Amino acid sequence: MSASLPPNGIQAISHCNPPTSSSLPSTHHPSTLAIHADDQLNRSTDVSPALHVSTTFRYASNPEDLIPAKRLEGPQPLDAHVYSRHTAPTSTRLETLLTSLLHAPCLTYSSGLAALHALYVFLNPKRISIGGGYHGSHGVLGLQKKMTGCEMLPLDCAAEELGLGDVVHLETPVNPTGEAFCIEKFARKAHAKGAYLLVDATFGPPGLQDPFVWGADVVMHAGTKYLGGHSDMLCGVLASKKEGWVEKLREERTYLGSVMGSLEGWLGVRSLRTLEIRVQRQSSNCQQLVSWLYSMLKGAEGGEMVREAVKRVQHASLQTEDMKWLRAQMPNGYGPVFAVTMNNESLAKRLPSKLELFHHATSLGGVESLIEWRAMSDKKVDTRLLRISVGLEHWEDLRDDLTKGFRALREEEDNKIVPSNLPAR
């Protein structure tokens, strides 16, 4: 039986007729919220939410319900859409889900870097404390410095170098190694001087860590990665519990123009339904692969081929001296990304072509495993480094694929079959 409609067949949503608030208790687990937190927005009998592509939306048909823009105050109903550069049904549904999963009001953007740019335009800090991490973030900060003259400080700067309104920019786990930092430690340092702590939690999505528990003021995600999870959408997310921040960011987003497209919003809703089960499985796969590789490096039987090729493995699960705080910060897994430093550049460049189950490509977070000779996209990285994003394949199959790759490298070395454009070992 179809849903009932008004006589003219069109349901015009009014500012005076907001959607019914969700009755879903906040005590539900995240895996349940990922499927039901947006139930309040259902307006049809469709079980799978519809994709809305309209850029503009009808005002209320009753003149008494028309409120001019200068009289609008505070947050508006979730379905009171006017123009999609401000809000749209599909991206609003995605933000509703993310708000429940991130435990804070949030906004979506056209990409992770668009979200980061929007945040720095909003905060306009005089000083930004930042470490290594994603080179794209440093590119955004280069633009910010060009426009405002802000000063860049190292991540481990003394607290005395920070001031009111400055930003500590913490990426954890960090790109490309997957190693983690103590959020609480940096929160204490920032807040002692009136600075804000931004946590880029792209590598530690919901289901693995909650930066707000440890003192983050604002959390950013490149939603292209684990929130999207299928290598088919661009997305950025900002979330904050600071009073008024999200509403002001929403207003500024309208003029920055960096909103998500409707298709990407729909893909994001689809992806969040399985977020927890994906990232926890990927993290478990990653930890088992890292443990196996590390044991080979440390002399385990059968590890000769690994030791001939690999110099170092990096991942949060190997930070044994940090486990007191790390287990609390990431109780459900230490992230699905790790890095391998090979013994020379030639080996790093050649290993990806020897693998069958790992795609040689940039990015990360999809259901498929990726390996990247990181020098292909990062000009400043060690040219011996490979970044590995672990997918949902069985970890033993991935292990066996890596073993075959190391064996192929050994055979090339033994037979001196090294491409002429590569340096010899």
Side-chain angles (χ1 to χ4, degrees), residues 339-368:
V340 170
T341 301
M342 304 293 279
N343 283 322
N344 60 52
E345 178 183 322
S346 171
L347 293 168
K349 189 174 184 179
R350 288 150 53 205
L351 179 60
S353 66
K354 311 303 180 193
L355 305 177
E356 295 180 357
L357 300 182
F358 293 84
H359 298 283
H360 188 197
T362 195
S363 198
L364 55 113
V367 296
E368 63 288 318

PDB file of all heavy atoms in Angstrom, residues 339-368:
ATOM      1  N   ALA A 339      52.755   0.784   7.197  1.00  0.00           N
ATOM      2  CA  ALA A 339      53.795   1.111   6.224  1.00  0.00           C
ATOM      3  C   ALA A 339      54.937   0.119   6.313  1.00  0.00           C
ATOM      4  O   ALA A 339      55.276  -0.371   7.390  1.00  0.00           O
ATOM      5  CB  ALA A 339      54.311   2.529   6.448  1.00  0.00           C
ATOM      6  N   VAL A 340      55.527  -0.148   5.166  1.00  0.00           N
ATOM      7  CA  VAL A 340      56.703  -1.004   5.065  1.00  0.00           C
ATOM      8  C   VAL A 340      57.803  -0.197   4.391  1.00  0.00           C
ATOM      9  O   VAL A 340      57.587   0.367   3.307  1.00  0.00           O
ATOM     10  CB  VAL A 340      56.404  -2.276   4.248  1.00  0.00           C
ATOM     11  CG1 VAL A 340      57.687  -3.031   3.949  1.00  0.00           C
ATOM     12  CG2 VAL A 340      55.408  -3.163   4.972  1.00  0.00           C
ATOM     13  N   THR A 341      58.950  -0.115   5.020  1.00  0.00           N
ATOM     14  CA  THR A 341      60.127   0.486   4.390  1.00  0.00           C
ATOM     15  C   THR A 341      61.007  -0.634   3.869  1.00  0.00           C
ATOM     16  O   THR A 341      61.440  -1.502   4.635  1.00  0.00           O
ATOM     17  CB  THR A 341      60.908   1.352   5.390  1.00  0.00           C
ATOM     18  OG1 THR A 341      60.044   2.387   5.879  1.00  0.00           O
ATOM     19  CG2 THR A 341      62.122   1.986   4.715  1.00  0.00           C
ATOM     20  N   MET A 342      61.244  -0.628   2.568  1.00  0.00           N
ATOM     21  CA  MET A 342      62.038  -1.674   1.942  1.00  0.00           C
ATOM     22  C   MET A 342      63.522  -1.367   2.079  1.00  0.00           C
ATOM     23  O   MET A 342      63.927  -0.259   2.462  1.00  0.00           O
ATOM     24  CB  MET A 342      61.643  -1.799   0.471  1.00  0.00           C
ATOM     25  CG  MET A 342      60.146  -2.056   0.253  1.00  0.00           C
ATOM     26  SD  MET A 342      59.583  -3.675   0.846  1.00  0.00           S
ATOM     27  CE  MET A 342      60.101  -4.706  -0.545  1.00  0.00           C
ATOM     28  N   ASN A 343      64.351  -2.321   1.741  1.00  0.00           N
ATOM     29  CA  ASN A 343      65.793  -2.137   1.888  1.00  0.00           C
ATOM     30  C   ASN A 343      66.384  -1.180   0.859  1.00  0.00           C
ATOM     31  O   ASN A 343      67.464  -0.621   1.085  1.00  0.00           O
ATOM     32  CB  ASN A 343      66.512  -3.487   1.817  1.00  0.00           C
ATOM     33  CG  ASN A 343      66.379  -4.256   3.127  1.00  0.00           C
ATOM     34  OD1 ASN A 343      66.418  -3.663   4.204  1.00  0.00           O
ATOM     35  ND2 ASN A 343      66.202  -5.568   3.035  1.00  0.00           N
ATOM     36  N   ASN A 344      65.688  -0.984  -0.258  1.00  0.00           N
ATOM     37  CA  ASN A 344      66.126   0.029  -1.216  1.00  0.00           C
ATOM     38  C   ASN A 344      64.941   0.436  -2.085  1.00  0.00           C
ATOM     39  O   ASN A 344      63.881  -0.197  -2.082  1.00  0.00           O
ATOM     40  CB  ASN A 344      67.303  -0.459  -2.067  1.00  0.00           C
ATOM     41  CG  ASN A 344      66.987  -1.708  -2.875  1.00  0.00           C
ATOM     42  OD1 ASN A 344      65.995  -1.743  -3.599  1.00  0.00           O
ATOM     43  ND2 ASN A 344      67.824  -2.736  -2.761  1.00  0.00           N
ATOM     44  N   GLU A 345      65.145   1.507  -2.834  1.00  0.00           N
ATOM     45  CA  GLU A 345      64.076   2.055  -3.663  1.00  0.00           C
ATOM     46  C   GLU A 345      63.628   1.076  -4.742  1.00  0.00           C
ATOM     47  O   GLU A 345      62.435   0.975  -5.069  1.00  0.00           O
ATOM     48  CB  GLU A 345      64.551   3.363  -4.302  1.00  0.00           C
ATOM     49  CG  GLU A 345      63.527   4.004  -5.226  1.00  0.00           C
ATOM     50  CD  GLU A 345      64.054   5.254  -5.899  1.00  0.00           C
ATOM     51  OE1 GLU A 345      64.784   6.029  -5.233  1.00  0.00           O
ATOM     52  OE2 GLU A 345      63.744   5.457  -7.091  1.00  0.00           O
ATOM     53  N   SER A 346      64.556   0.360  -5.318  1.00  0.00           N
ATOM     54  CA  SER A 346      64.223  -0.578  -6.383  1.00  0.00           C
ATOM     55  C   SER A 346      63.218  -1.625  -5.909  1.00  0.00           C
ATOM     56  O   SER A 346      62.236  -1.928  -6.593  1.00  0.00           O
ATOM     57  CB  SER A 346      65.502  -1.261  -6.886  1.00  0.00           C
ATOM     58  OG  SER A 346      65.188  -2.316  -7.775  1.00  0.00           O
ATOM     59  N   LEU A 347      63.449  -2.175  -4.730  1.00  0.00           N
ATOM     60  CA  LEU A 347      62.519  -3.178  -4.189  1.00  0.00           C
ATOM     61  C   LEU A 347      61.145  -2.570  -3.936  1.00  0.00           C
ATOM     62  O   LEU A 347      60.118  -3.205  -4.200  1.00  0.00           O
ATOM     63  CB  LEU A 347      63.096  -3.764  -2.900  1.00  0.00           C
ATOM     64  CG  LEU A 347      64.357  -4.616  -3.040  1.00  0.00           C
ATOM     65  CD1 LEU A 347      64.985  -4.878  -1.676  1.00  0.00           C
ATOM     66  CD2 LEU A 347      64.040  -5.933  -3.744  1.00  0.00           C
ATOM     67  N   ALA A 348      61.115  -1.338  -3.422  1.00  0.00           N
ATOM     68  CA  ALA A 348      59.839  -0.673  -3.149  1.00  0.00           C
ATOM     69  C   ALA A 348      59.060  -0.440  -4.440  1.00  0.00           C
ATOM     70  O   ALA A 348      57.835  -0.601  -4.484  1.00  0.00           O
ATOM     71  CB  ALA A 348      60.083   0.646  -2.430  1.00  0.00           C
ATOM     72  N   LYS A 349      59.743  -0.074  -5.479  1.00  0.00           N
ATOM     73  CA  LYS A 349      59.084   0.213  -6.755  1.00  0.00           C
ATOM     74  C   LYS A 349      58.562  -1.050  -7.417  1.00  0.00           C
ATOM     75  O   LYS A 349      57.541  -1.023  -8.111  1.00  0.00           O
ATOM     76  CB  LYS A 349      60.072   0.939  -7.678  1.00  0.00           C
ATOM     77  CG  LYS A 349      59.456   1.474  -8.953  1.00  0.00           C
ATOM     78  CD  LYS A 349      60.466   2.312  -9.736  1.00  0.00           C
ATOM     79  CE  LYS A 349      59.829   2.936 -10.964  1.00  0.00           C
ATOM     80  NZ  LYS A 349      60.803   3.771 -11.724  1.00  0.00           N
ATOM     81  N   ARG A 350      59.227  -2.173  -7.183  1.00  0.00           N
ATOM     82  CA  ARG A 350      58.884  -3.410  -7.889  1.00  0.00           C
ATOM     83  C   ARG A 350      57.883  -4.306  -7.173  1.00  0.00           C
ATOM     84  O   ARG A 350      57.151  -5.055  -7.814  1.00  0.00           O
ATOM     85  CB  ARG A 350      60.168  -4.204  -8.167  1.00  0.00           C
ATOM     86  CG  ARG A 350      61.044  -3.596  -9.245  1.00  0.00           C
ATOM     87  CD  ARG A 350      62.528  -3.881  -9.031  1.00  0.00           C
ATOM     88  NE  ARG A 350      62.780  -5.309  -8.858  1.00  0.00           N
ATOM     89  CZ  ARG A 350      63.821  -5.810  -8.201  1.00  0.00           C
ATOM     90  NH1 ARG A 350      64.705  -4.992  -7.623  1.00  0.00           N
ATOM     91  NH2 ARG A 350      63.987  -7.100  -8.097  1.00  0.00           N
ATOM     92  N   LEU A 351      57.830  -4.252  -5.850  1.00  0.00           N
ATOM     93  CA  LEU A 351      56.957  -5.186  -5.130  1.00  0.00           C
ATOM     94  C   LEU A 351      55.490  -5.085  -5.544  1.00  0.00           C
ATOM     95  O   LEU A 351      54.839  -6.124  -5.757  1.00  0.00           O
ATOM     96  CB  LEU A 351      57.084  -4.998  -3.612  1.00  0.00           C
ATOM     97  CG  LEU A 351      56.181  -5.911  -2.772  1.00  0.00           C
ATOM     98  CD1 LEU A 351      56.479  -7.391  -3.027  1.00  0.00           C
ATOM     99  CD2 LEU A 351      56.304  -5.586  -1.284  1.00  0.00           C
ATOM    100  N   PRO A 352      54.899  -3.882  -5.682  1.00  0.00           N
ATOM    101  CA  PRO A 352      53.466  -3.839  -6.026  1.00  0.00           C
ATOM    102  C   PRO A 352      53.104  -4.613  -7.283  1.00  0.00           C
ATOM    103  O   PRO A 352      52.023  -5.219  -7.362  1.00  0.00           O
ATOM    104  CB  PRO A 352      53.199  -2.339  -6.195  1.00  0.00           C
ATOM    105  CG  PRO A 352      54.189  -1.677  -5.294  1.00  0.00           C
ATOM    106  CD  PRO A 352      55.427  -2.524  -5.424  1.00  0.00           C
ATOM    107  N   SER A 353      54.002  -4.647  -8.273  1.00  0.00           N
ATOM    108  CA  SER A 353      53.702  -5.344  -9.532  1.00  0.00           C
ATOM    109  C   SER A 353      53.754  -6.855  -9.380  1.00  0.00           C
ATOM    110  O   SER A 353      53.325  -7.593 -10.285  1.00  0.00           O
ATOM    111  CB  SER A 353      54.676  -4.895 -10.622  1.00  0.00           C
ATOM    112  OG  SER A 353      56.004  -5.310 -10.313  1.00  0.00           O
ATOM    113  N   LYS A 354      54.254  -7.342  -8.242  1.00  0.00           N
ATOM    114  CA  LYS A 354      54.334  -8.789  -8.022  1.00  0.00           C
ATOM    115  C   LYS A 354      53.092  -9.332  -7.309  1.00  0.00           C
ATOM    116  O   LYS A 354      52.976 -10.547  -7.102  1.00  0.00           O
ATOM    117  CB  LYS A 354      55.563  -9.138  -7.167  1.00  0.00           C
ATOM    118  CG  LYS A 354      56.872  -8.502  -7.619  1.00  0.00           C
ATOM    119  CD  LYS A 354      57.218  -8.835  -9.049  1.00  0.00           C
ATOM    120  CE  LYS A 354      58.530  -8.170  -9.440  1.00  0.00           C
ATOM    121  NZ  LYS A 354      58.752  -8.214 -10.911  1.00  0.00           N
ATOM    122  N   LEU A 355      52.173  -8.460  -6.916  1.00  0.00           N
ATOM    123  CA  LEU A 355      51.028  -8.867  -6.104  1.00  0.00           C
ATOM    124  C   LEU A 355      49.764  -8.990  -6.945  1.00  0.00           C
ATOM    125  O   LEU A 355      49.581  -8.280  -7.932  1.00  0.00           O
ATOM    126  CB  LEU A 355      50.818  -7.850  -4.977  1.00  0.00           C
ATOM    127  CG  LEU A 355      52.043  -7.588  -4.079  1.00  0.00           C
ATOM    128  CD1 LEU A 355      51.728  -6.509  -3.062  1.00  0.00           C
ATOM    129  CD2 LEU A 355      52.504  -8.873  -3.402  1.00  0.00           C
ATOM    130  N   GLU A 356      48.890  -9.886  -6.534  1.00  0.00           N
ATOM    131  CA  GLU A 356      47.636 -10.112  -7.246  1.00  0.00           C
ATOM    132  C   GLU A 356      46.429  -9.549  -6.502  1.00  0.00           C
ATOM    133  O   GLU A 356      45.465  -9.100  -7.117  1.00  0.00           O
ATOM    134  CB  GLU A 356      47.426 -11.609  -7.477  1.00  0.00           C
ATOM    135  CG  GLU A 356      48.467 -12.241  -8.399  1.00  0.00           C
ATOM    136  CD  GLU A 356      48.215 -13.728  -8.605  1.00  0.00           C
ATOM    137  OE1 GLU A 356      47.269 -14.257  -7.975  1.00  0.00           O
ATOM    138  OE2 GLU A 356      48.967 -14.359  -9.377  1.00  0.00           O
ATOM    139  N   LEU A 357      46.441  -9.590  -5.163  1.00  0.00           N
ATOM    140  CA  LEU A 357      45.272  -9.187  -4.378  1.00  0.00           C
ATOM    141  C   LEU A 357      45.336  -7.736  -3.923  1.00  0.00           C
ATOM    142  O   LEU A 357      44.323  -7.182  -3.493  1.00  0.00           O
ATOM    143  CB  LEU A 357      45.124 -10.101  -3.160  1.00  0.00           C
ATOM    144  CG  LEU A 357      44.932 -11.584  -3.468  1.00  0.00           C
ATOM    145  CD1 LEU A 357      44.755 -12.372  -2.174  1.00  0.00           C
ATOM    146  CD2 LEU A 357      43.739 -11.809  -4.394  1.00  0.00           C
ATOM    147  N   PHE A 358      46.498  -7.120  -4.002  1.00  0.00           N
ATOM    148  CA  PHE A 358      46.654  -5.710  -3.653  1.00  0.00           C
ATOM    149  C   PHE A 358      46.692  -4.877  -4.929  1.00  0.00           C
ATOM    150  O   PHE A 358      47.555  -5.079  -5.774  1.00  0.00           O
ATOM    151  CB  PHE A 358      47.964  -5.483  -2.880  1.00  0.00           C
ATOM    152  CG  PHE A 358      48.019  -6.107  -1.517  1.00  0.00           C
ATOM    153  CD1 PHE A 358      48.382  -7.448  -1.373  1.00  0.00           C
ATOM    154  CD2 PHE A 358      47.735  -5.365  -0.386  1.00  0.00           C
ATOM    155  CE1 PHE A 358      48.465  -8.032  -0.121  1.00  0.00           C
ATOM    156  CE2 PHE A 358      47.804  -5.943   0.879  1.00  0.00           C
ATOM    157  CZ  PHE A 358      48.170  -7.272   1.015  1.00  0.00           C
ATOM    158  N   HIS A 359      45.768  -3.933  -5.065  1.00  0.00           N
ATOM    159  CA  HIS A 359      45.830  -3.007  -6.191  1.00  0.00           C
ATOM    160  C   HIS A 359      46.929  -1.979  -5.931  1.00  0.00           C
ATOM    161  O   HIS A 359      47.039  -1.458  -4.814  1.00  0.00           O
ATOM    162  CB  HIS A 359      44.508  -2.259  -6.359  1.00  0.00           C
ATOM    163  CG  HIS A 359      43.343  -3.138  -6.667  1.00  0.00           C
ATOM    164  ND1 HIS A 359      43.113  -3.665  -7.912  1.00  0.00           N
ATOM    165  CD2 HIS A 359      42.328  -3.577  -5.880  1.00  0.00           C
ATOM    166  CE1 HIS A 359      42.006  -4.389  -7.887  1.00  0.00           C
ATOM    167  NE2 HIS A 359      41.517  -4.359  -6.664  1.00  0.00           N
ATOM    168  N   HIS A 360      47.730  -1.677  -6.954  1.00  0.00           N
ATOM    169  CA  HIS A 360      48.728  -0.620  -6.806  1.00  0.00           C
ATOM    170  C   HIS A 360      48.038   0.699  -7.145  1.00  0.00           C
ATOM    171  O   HIS A 360      47.878   1.064  -8.315  1.00  0.00           O
ATOM    172  CB  HIS A 360      49.925  -0.865  -7.730  1.00  0.00           C
ATOM    173  CG  HIS A 360      51.050   0.097  -7.464  1.00  0.00           C
ATOM    174  ND1 HIS A 360      52.075   0.318  -8.349  1.00  0.00           N
ATOM    175  CD2 HIS A 360      51.310   0.901  -6.396  1.00  0.00           C
ATOM    176  CE1 HIS A 360      52.915   1.208  -7.836  1.00  0.00           C
ATOM    177  NE2 HIS A 360      52.464   1.576  -6.664  1.00  0.00           N
ATOM    178  N   ALA A 361      47.629   1.407  -6.109  1.00  0.00           N
ATOM    179  CA  ALA A 361      46.870   2.648  -6.284  1.00  0.00           C
ATOM    180  C   ALA A 361      46.988   3.484  -5.023  1.00  0.00           C
ATOM    181  O   ALA A 361      47.273   2.979  -3.939  1.00  0.00           O
ATOM    182  CB  ALA A 361      45.392   2.338  -6.565  1.00  0.00           C
ATOM    183  N   THR A 362      46.752   4.783  -5.195  1.00  0.00           N
ATOM    184  CA  THR A 362      46.738   5.653  -4.033  1.00  0.00           C
ATOM    185  C   THR A 362      45.387   5.567  -3.332  1.00  0.00           C
ATOM    186  O   THR A 362      44.512   4.804  -3.727  1.00  0.00           O
ATOM    187  CB  THR A 362      47.081   7.103  -4.429  1.00  0.00           C
ATOM    188  OG1 THR A 362      47.407   7.852  -3.259  1.00  0.00           O
ATOM    189  CG2 THR A 362      45.913   7.755  -5.164  1.00  0.00           C
ATOM    190  N   SER A 363      45.223   6.361  -2.280  1.00  0.00           N
ATOM    191  CA  SER A 363      44.037   6.384  -1.433  1.00  0.00           C
ATOM    192  C   SER A 363      44.007   5.140  -0.548  1.00  0.00           C
ATOM    193  O   SER A 363      44.958   4.341  -0.507  1.00  0.00           O
ATOM    194  CB  SER A 363      42.753   6.524  -2.244  1.00  0.00           C
ATOM    195  OG  SER A 363      41.702   6.964  -1.396  1.00  0.00           O
ATOM    196  N   LEU A 364      42.909   4.988   0.175  1.00  0.00           N
ATOM    197  CA  LEU A 364      42.804   3.913   1.161  1.00  0.00           C
ATOM    198  C   LEU A 364      41.373   3.846   1.657  1.00  0.00           C
ATOM    199  O   LEU A 364      40.539   4.670   1.314  1.00  0.00           O
ATOM    200  CB  LEU A 364      43.756   4.186   2.342  1.00  0.00           C
ATOM    201  CG  LEU A 364      43.571   5.546   3.018  1.00  0.00           C
ATOM    202  CD1 LEU A 364      43.046   5.411   4.422  1.00  0.00           C
ATOM    203  CD2 LEU A 364      44.880   6.319   3.013  1.00  0.00           C
ATOM    204  N   GLY A 365      41.094   2.828   2.464  1.00  0.00           N
ATOM    205  CA  GLY A 365      39.800   2.746   3.138  1.00  0.00           C
ATOM    206  C   GLY A 365      38.755   1.903   2.451  1.00  0.00           C
ATOM    207  O   GLY A 365      37.706   1.634   3.026  1.00  0.00           O
ATOM    208  N   GLY A 366      38.992   1.484   1.205  1.00  0.00           N
ATOM    209  CA  GLY A 366      38.008   0.692   0.498  1.00  0.00           C
ATOM    210  C   GLY A 366      38.008  -0.761   0.954  1.00  0.00           C
ATOM    211  O   GLY A 366      38.887  -1.210   1.698  1.00  0.00           O
ATOM    212  N   VAL A 367      37.022  -1.513   0.495  1.00  0.00           N
ATOM    213  CA  VAL A 367      36.917  -2.926   0.867  1.00  0.00           C
ATOM    214  C   VAL A 367      38.044  -3.751   0.257  1.00  0.00           C
ATOM    215  O   VAL A 367      38.348  -4.845   0.741  1.00  0.00           O
ATOM    216  CB  VAL A 367      35.549  -3.507   0.445  1.00  0.00           C
ATOM    217  CG1 VAL A 367      34.423  -2.821   1.196  1.00  0.00           C
ATOM    218  CG2 VAL A 367      35.333  -3.385  -1.069  1.00  0.00           C
ATOM    219  N   GLU A 368      38.674  -3.220  -0.783  1.00  0.00           N
ATOM    220  CA  GLU A 368      39.783  -3.911  -1.437  1.00  0.00           C
ATOM    221  C   GLU A 368      41.105  -3.434  -0.851  1.00  0.00           C
ATOM    222  O   GLU A 368      41.251  -2.271  -0.456  1.00  0.00           O
ATOM    223  CB  GLU A 368      39.772  -3.668  -2.946  1.00  0.00           C
ATOM    224  CG  GLU A 368      39.974  -2.221  -3.374  1.00  0.00           C
ATOM    225  CD  GLU A 368      38.797  -1.308  -3.111  1.00  0.00           C
ATOM    226  OE1 GLU A 368      37.662  -1.752  -3.368  1.00  0.00           O
ATOM    227  OE2 GLU A 368      39.018  -0.165  -2.646  1.00  0.00           O
TER     228      GLU A 368
END
